[in-house]
Amino acid sequence: MPKIYRVVGETTTGMKFRLEVVGEKPYDAVEKAYSLIGSRHKLSRTQIRIKEVSVIPPEEARSEDVKILMSIDKVIRY
């Protein structure tokens, strides 16, 4: 069952970030954070520093996208 992870960190450019992502394991959440921050701000992985990864309950999530993903019971692909 996927969980909601809060990933907190900063970049070498001085930007601080806090993302909420869905994943099976903390490793998945970190990989998604690298992907999102890197693509949005044109940064490499060496420029992104992850400080904390924690599991949060769905009620505490601020991102509407994450809430919608967690409310889905199953996915049917045709």
Side-chain angles (χ1 to χ4, degrees):
M1 183 73 167
K3 300 174 188 163
I4 301 174
Y5 290 94
R6 181 171 288 145
V7 182
V8 180
E10 63 185 6
T11 66
T12 56
T13 60
M15 182 187 75
K16 295 181 181 182
F17 62 88
R18 182 177 68 198
L19 294 174
E20 293 169 351
V21 295
V22 177
E24 293 287 331
K25 300 181 261 184
Y27 176 79
D28 298 335
V30 169
E31 290 297 317
K32 186 69 174 177
Y34 278 136
S35 175
L36 290 172
I37 297 294
S39 66
R40 287 180 189 166
H41 300 283
K42 303 298 184 230
L43 299 171
S44 67
R45 288 171 176 252
T46 58
Q47 295 174 305
I48 302 170
R49 307 268 191 266
I50 305 292
K51 290 185 175 183
E52 179 185 349
V53 179
S54 57
V55 178
I56 61 170
E59 305 83 42
E60 199 175 310
R62 293 183 182 178
S63 172
E64 288 298 320
D65 296 336
V66 170
K67 288 180 184 179
I68 290 169
L69 278 174
M70 290 305 291
S71 68
I72 295 173
D73 290 336
K74 64 180 176 179
V75 176
I76 300 173
R77 235 174 100 186
Y78 291 103

